Amino acid sequence: MLSVGDTEKIILNLVQPLDYTEVVDLLAATGRVLASSVTSNLDFPHWDNSAMDGYAVRYEDVKHSSAENPSVLEIVEEIPAGYQPQFTIQSGQAARIFTGAVMPKGADTVVMQEKTHSEENRIFILAAPKPQEFVRHKAAFYQAGAQLLPAGIVLNAPEIAVLAALQCSQLSVYRRPRVAILSTGDELVTPDQVLEAGQIVDSNQYALAALVKQSGAEPLLLGIVRDNPVALAETIAHAIASADIVISSGGVSVGDYDYVDKILESLGAKIHARAVAMRPGKPLTVASFPNHDLGDGEKTQHSGLYFGLPGNPAAVLVTFWRFVQPAIKKLSGLAESGEVKFIKVRSHDELRSDGKREIYVWGKLQLIDGVYEFHKAGGSHSSGNLINLAQTNALAVLPVGKTLVSPTQEVEVLQVGN
């Protein structure tokens, strides 16, 4: 039985980022991983501009201004946003200017309008500004030619805004990893079927599809496969030929109907893990197909990866969060993918373990009086209890040898659900 840490290292060593890219429109790029770094031939700001509604002036003309002894300047121009100034500001002159508008030549400072008083074409400066106050200088935010966005980042709203400002209407992103999902078991039915005695709904297919989407990959749903070795072998072979990663749930323990490992070996897979010292999630198969061919013209540079997850719902979610999600993120080209990172927080509840395996307890991170606390989900923490997994956003981890975490003590937590 492998340790959790060794299993994680094996998986991440097996994964090589995809080198397949595609060009998408900017509006279709949200959530995608940028494949090439981005530079621009534009400075940001594009020109010196005002950060405030007020008056563009020469600092030397107003540096001694006060309410008792205001500086009086002639207003020679009004400059709204989008207007090109026509005058050069001379000594004793000012221009009315609005936020975002181009600074006129000769002016080096903006006095906010609240510190002024106007009469006809004259402006009275009632307080001395700081030199260059409220002026946003050309290239102060970004200088043309420098790297602006690096490859390997997820494109979210801030990055989309930057790309729009660059006038970048199309861009290169990595192809989304394709993840095939199948469930095994004679007892399984779909949500729209009538339940008979001994049957259960295949919730794992739906949970895994949601998790795969949240991880930035494309789920390929292959449905329920009965405990029939021939049918299972055909489905797994099809899944391997269709996807970068295959996930099955059930059929990886040591029962008479657990066929997955034998089928994988018959299909030429190399099995790297069969069991992990954790709870929930002990029965876990990790396999690779070195001669992976998607059959769609792509010449793969990476092994196809197979995860045989346990059948119990809690074990499926925990093993996905712990092992599969990091693999998908690395495969997708994310620059910061890698080992799972934990944070230390205060435990609200007592957490217990027998110390023999690494234990994962699901619950919620909550902000209490400015401090994050882990709150254990109520009810049974059986791996078959799907109900109290709802609203889980964190897993508390008790390592091997740790038998007790008392309330208010620190515990390592893995944030999940994002």
Side-chain angles (χ1 to χ4, degrees), residues 232-277:
L232 190 55
E234 290 177 351
T235 304
I236 291 176
H238 170 68
I240 294 163
S242 306
D244 305 291
I245 291 176
V246 180
I247 306 173
S248 64
S249 62
V252 292
S253 191
V254 292
D256 292 342
Y257 298 97
D258 294 325
Y259 301 120
V260 170
D261 284 9
K262 291 180 181 178
I263 290 171
L264 292 173
E265 289 175 330
S266 72
L267 293 173
K270 181 177 180 181
I271 296 182
H272 303 272
R274 298 178 189 269
V276 184

Side-chain angles (χ1 to χ4, degrees), residues 321-393:
W321 283 322
R322 188 62 183 85
F323 300 120
V324 185
Q325 188 172 62
I328 292 175
K329 289 187 174 182
K330 183 176 180 182
L331 184 65
S332 69
L334 275 172
E336 294 187 357
S337 61
E339 293 183 0
V340 173
K341 294 180 174 60
F342 296 88
I343 59 172
K344 287 188 176 181
V345 301
R346 187 171 65 196
S347 179
H348 176 269
D349 305 293
E350 181 179 275
L351 308 177
R352 288 188 172 273
S353 165
D354 61 11
K356 297 178 181 179
R357 286 187 275 167
E358 192 161 298
I359 304 301
Y360 289 77
V361 182
W362 51 94
K364 293 183 69 174
L365 271 182
Q366 296 185 15
L367 190 61
I368 308 295
D369 297 329
V371 177
Y372 277 103
E373 283 187 349
F374 174 78
H375 289 241
K376 177 183 175 182
S380 166
H381 275 247
S382 161
S383 62
N385 184 9
L386 173 64
I387 302 304
N388 71 343
L389 283 165
Q391 300 184 67
T392 293
N393 67 7

